[in-house]
Amino acid sequence: MYIGGIIMITYKNLYDNKNIEVIASKGGVKVLEYKRDLSVDTQSAINAYFASEMNVRKRQVLIELNGDAYTISAGAMQWTAGAVKMVADVKGIGDFFGKAISSKVTKESAIKPKYEGKGLLMLEPTYKHILLEDVSEWNGLVLDDGLFLACESKIKQKVVARTNLSSAMLGNEGLFNLCLEGNGIAVLESPVPRDELIEFDLQNDEVRIDGNYAIAWSKSLDFRVEKSSKSLMGSAVSGEGFVNVYRGTGKILMAPIV
């Protein structure tokens, strides 16, 4: 790594590790995947082998900071290298109390640490799948609970409420969600890989989903919970009582299986 034209740190067995593959990258963010779990013994070797064959592998997010900043989920940092410092992403007492209230309704941590400077930031390993999303393409990216892992600090985080109370009560969902707005990269933890996610791009249309399979959607969409049919007989015949309905113009990421 170069800082001011001087080599300060060199990295061995990181970028050149044959057991690590970069499976996705966007901007200064790289998703590292371990092909095999080499830290096994005779008791766990069989389980580790079949886990790897079924794509159950450890993944890590490596963020290369070059004078910019990233806000991450509390406790997600594993290590940093270089001129990287951590600061609380709070702009004052009012901001602190606002984020504390937001954490209660969205189940996200109240205060998320912000890392800035020049160097590397490595996040804790996970078996979940990592999604890298360009927030500017979403017109407000609304996240299901537990998806947020990190984002560029210039992205605005806010809490949005569902369109109506029935969306929370009948859809078996919370009333509030975390929404990311602005330009920058968001890092999400998904229960399924990107290759399995179905992406809907709506242009003044609607999508109906039976169940809580949508993991992210555009803020511009009107989300409601409605009967599957306008008539009671129709709902009875279809076997579906209520469905989640997304109307308008925007995008949806849906997991076909959870």
Side-chain angles (χ1 to χ4, degrees), residues 186-198:
V187 185
L188 313 178
E189 285 188 301
S190 169
V192 297
R194 195 65 169 83
D195 291 346
E196 278 191 356
L197 290 173
I198 298 173

Side-chain angles (χ1 to χ4, degrees), residues 85-119:
K85 65 178 181 178
M86 187 275 286
V87 296
D89 194 12
V90 179
K91 299 177 179 64
I93 297 297
D95 188 37
F96 172 79
F97 282 112
K99 289 181 176 178
I101 294 173
S102 298
S103 71
K104 294 296 184 181
V105 297
T106 63
K107 300 179 183 179
E108 297 285 349
S109 56
I111 305 300
K112 299 180 179 70
K114 179 170 72 172
Y115 288 85
E116 58 187 17
K118 293 186 177 181

Side-chain angles (χ1 to χ4, degrees), residues 144 162 167-169 171-175 177 212 214 217 223 244 246:
D144 199 13
R162 296 301 173 87
S167 298
M169 298 177 62
N172 194 27
E173 297 273 5
L175 183 58
N177 288 89
N212 306 323
W217 56 92
F223 169 62
N244 295 335
Y246 302 83

Side-chain angles (χ1 to χ4, degrees), residues 70-181:
Y70 272 79
T71 300
I72 70 173
S73 182
M77 187 275 287
Q78 187 186 52
W79 57 262
T80 66
V84 178
K85 65 178 181 178
M86 187 275 286
V87 296
D89 194 12
V90 179
K91 299 177 179 64
I93 297 297
D95 188 37
F96 172 79
F97 282 112
K99 289 181 176 178
I101 294 173
S102 298
S103 71
K104 294 296 184 181
V105 297
T106 63
K107 300 179 183 179
E108 297 285 349
S109 56
I111 305 300
K112 299 180 179 70
K114 179 170 72 172
Y115 288 85
E116 58 187 17
K118 293 186 177 181
L120 298 185
L121 166 62
M122 181 74 88
L123 304 189
E124 289 280 357
T126 178
Y127 282 105
K128 290 185 178 181
H129 301 276
I130 306 299
L131 309 180
L132 303 181
E133 296 297 323
D134 186 343
V135 175
S136 66
E137 298 177 354
W138 283 84
N139 193 19
L141 175 59
V142 183
L143 304 177
D144 199 13
D145 292 339
L147 256 72
F148 178 86
L149 181 59
C151 71
E152 291 188 67
S153 297
K154 62 183 179 180
I155 292 175
K156 182 179 180 181
Q157 301 180 43
K158 61 184 295 185
V159 174
V160 295
R162 296 301 173 87
T163 303
N164 57 0
L165 185 60
S166 66
S167 298
M169 298 177 62
L170 300 178
N172 194 27
E173 297 273 5
L175 183 58
F176 300 94
N177 288 89
L178 177 66
C179 177
L180 306 179
E181 293 183 323

Side-chain angles (χ1 to χ4, degrees), residues 20-59:
I20 296 177
E21 180 181 359
V22 178
I23 59 173
S25 65
K26 188 167 289 190
V29 182
K30 290 180 170 59
V31 181
L32 311 182
E33 183 177 84
Y34 294 81
K35 298 178 182 179
R36 294 178 298 164
D37 187 351
L38 302 179
S39 303
V40 297
D41 54 26
T42 54
Q43 299 297 318
S44 58
I46 294 178
N47 288 337
Y49 172 78
F50 284 105
S52 178
E53 290 297 304
M54 294 301 296
N55 199 33
V56 180
R57 300 170 183 170
K58 287 182 180 179
R59 301 173 183 92

